[in-house]
Amino acid sequence: MKILSKKVHIRVASGVASGALLFSIIASVVWFYMSYHEEVNRSRNQIDQIVITVEQTASIAMYLGNKELAEEVLRGLEANDIISSARLTSQTGLSASFEGEGSLNRSDIAVIYPIRSPFNESEIVGDLLIYPNQQYIENNAISLAKVQVVVLVAYSIIIALLTLFIVNRILTEPLKYVANRFHLITPGDSTRIDVPTGNDQNEIGALVKDINTLLNAVNSQIENERDLRSQTENLSKKFRFIFERASAGIGLIDANNLLIVANPALLRLLGQTFIIDTERFTKTDFTAFFNDPQVIKEFIEDFWAKPGNQFSAVDIQLKHKVRAADRWVHCLFSKVEDINNPDDSLLEVVLYDITERAEREQNIIYEAEHDPITQLLNRRAGMSKLESSVIDAQKKERSFAVLMIDLDGFKYVNDTYGHDAGDKVIIEVAHRIKQFFRGSDVVARWGGDEFLIAFSYNPNYDSAVSDIATDLQFQISQPINIGHEQTASVGSSIGISLYPDNESSVSALIEQADEAMYFVKNNGKNFFNFYKKETTPASTTKLT
């Protein structure tokens, strides 16, 4: 601040001095030329006055032809320093002249005055030729102009110094005082600036009062901010404590699905370990921690597209480590929006470990949908999956086959070897059937010793379904170990219904396959039959 004050003082002094100097230079140049030309004109006017004085005498000398009188006139002119030389010439041939000490230059200009007759004004009796002393006139004019310029410069310097003193006394010094005092005040200090003496009622006094008012407001604001900061720090500590000690995983992800903030619980949950490596998790793709990243990615994209700050939740499986158990989490999402910068909005995610609950639910669903003996789909679940498969086949215009299988000779095994042996046969047959088909195909225990199978096939391959049915019957007919070094064998009667060759509804397809299967049962068993609307089946094949 002191350096600034010195700079201001120097700037004021420099400004005043520069202005005065510039004014002096311009005024001196103008004044010099004005004084010079004024003195030159005055000298010329003086010559004119001298000529008027001697004109009467010269007129008489020229009229009378008196050379002595003419020379007397010239001696009078010679006595004046401003005349360099002169010559009188009459009409009658009289001539008289004088030349001064200095020699004439070619550039010197003579002034000719006509001499009139003393008795007749209209009659010219001669001429008076005068050469002004140009050097003398110019030197005299320059000397006079210099004196006036020196006076003007001195006057300007005095005015500049006086102005500088007054400005420094009235303005600069009070401002330096205020600036230095202001520099000594620290934020929150109770010290205030005193008004410089004699400035109570002017602008400097008003400036000091405004500065003091501003300092009071700043101090009040500082106190408020201190109180607010203290409250914020206390609240931040509480939230930090909750964030770090929370049992639920809490984090923030940006618009690129990068995890940018995570509490210890979330890191443990994602890492499935108590060893927390923060650098490993931050700035990584959040969706990469899940078993199916595409599902969670699409869920987040849909959530971003929803208007407002809604909540949305999903249960999803985490990606597990090698030989680690599956883990399921409940993810709750909410938006953390920045109104001023919508592009900087974030997603807050809260994760709860629901592995035990998910396993219980999966077990309940599995038990509700699967046969307890064969672990195949039960009748209700098989029917539901068959409906979905037929709808998918309709949409994609695929051919679809429904097989109804009834075991031949199963009652004999049950009656002969007991229900335990019968269960072993059912389990083994189910295992052999399941090996033939894909996970997307329908393989269900329809009840007792009946099985329902449904799958899509290529209609361009004429014997595709027949080949599968033939291989399936062959595998089912192979001996089955029922314990105690005993084996049992069963056959199979298979009824087949095709979509879209037959009906398009699920119930109709099942009914047709069942009807074709009963035709086999009633006509020797152990072969397969394609359902046809005719009374007599058009295509039957018996297993030999």
Side-chain angles (χ1 to χ4, degrees), residues 169-179 181 193-209 211-212:
R169 184 76 176 182
I170 297 176
L171 183 62
T172 308
E173 288 297 332
L175 288 178
K176 286 174 60 179
Y177 169 79
V178 173
R181 292 287 297 169
I193 302 173
D194 297 329
V195 178
T197 305
N199 292 279
D200 294 331
Q201 304 301 323
N202 60 19
E203 289 81 358
I204 295 177
L207 175 62
V208 172
K209 293 176 183 177
I211 291 175
N212 289 335

Side-chain angles (χ1 to χ4, degrees), residues 43 46-51 53-54 72-86 98 100-101 130-133 136-137:
S43 298
Q46 187 177 0
I47 293 174
D48 292 341
Q49 293 296 325
I50 294 172
V51 170
T53 303
V54 300
E72 182 67 25
V73 171
L74 292 175
R75 284 194 294 272
L77 294 176
E78 188 179 6
N80 290 278
D81 294 333
I82 60 175
I83 297 175
S84 175
S85 62
F98 82 89
E101 296 179 359
I130 295 177
Y131 284 91
N133 191 345
Y136 173 81
I137 293 173

Side-chain angles (χ1 to χ4, degrees), residues 346-359:
L346 303 173
L347 278 187
E348 178 188 12
V349 58
V350 180
L351 269 65
Y352 298 94
D353 190 342
I354 59 167
T355 301
E356 294 182 2
R357 189 189 78 185
E359 290 177 350

Side-chain angles (χ1 to χ4, degrees), residues 253 257 259 266 269-270 272 285-297 299-300 314-320 327-333 349-352:
I253 59 177
N257 295 334
L259 182 65
L266 180 60
L269 190 59
L270 296 179
Q272 301 181 27
D285 188 356
F286 178 72
T287 62
F289 294 107
F290 296 89
N291 190 49
D292 193 342
Q294 188 62 30
V295 172
I296 190 67
K297 184 177 181 180
F299 181 86
I300 293 175
V314 63
D315 294 342
I316 193 166
Q317 184 180 356
L318 288 173
K319 180 186 293 183
H320 58 76
R327 298 182 71 85
W328 288 78
V329 290
H330 177 76
C331 300
L332 179 63
F333 293 93
V349 58
V350 180
L351 269 65
Y352 298 94

Side-chain angles (χ1 to χ4, degrees), residues 378-419:
N378 57 26
R379 186 171 184 146
R380 181 182 63 82
M383 187 70 174
S384 177
K385 188 173 182 179
L386 179 59
E387 290 175 348
S388 300
S389 299
V390 171
I391 292 173
D392 184 65
Q394 290 174 346
K395 289 181 179 179
K396 298 179 180 179
E397 298 182 352
R398 291 179 177 176
S399 297
F400 203 77
V402 178
L403 279 64
M404 185 67 73
I405 301 175
D406 184 83
L407 299 183
D408 299 328
F410 178 73
K411 186 176 183 300
Y412 172 79
V413 174
N414 235 1
D415 294 341
T416 303
Y417 300 107
H419 291 288

Side-chain angles (χ1 to χ4, degrees), residues 327-345:
R327 298 182 71 85
W328 288 78
V329 290
H330 177 76
C331 300
L332 179 63
F333 293 93
S334 64
K335 295 178 183 177
V336 182
E337 295 183 329
D338 188 342
I339 299 177
N340 297 324
N341 297 299
D343 295 338
D344 295 336
S345 298

Side-chain angles (χ1 to χ4, degrees), residues 256-294:
N256 298 319
N257 295 334
L258 297 180
L259 182 65
I260 58 176
V261 176
N263 71 338
L266 180 60
L267 297 180
R268 289 194 297 268
L269 190 59
L270 296 179
Q272 301 181 27
T273 175
F274 284 93
I275 301 175
I276 303 173
D277 183 3
T278 305
E279 294 297 328
R280 173 189 169 193
F281 289 94
T282 55
K283 297 298 181 181
T284 56
D285 188 356
F286 178 72
T287 62
F289 294 107
F290 296 89
N291 190 49
D292 193 342
Q294 188 62 30

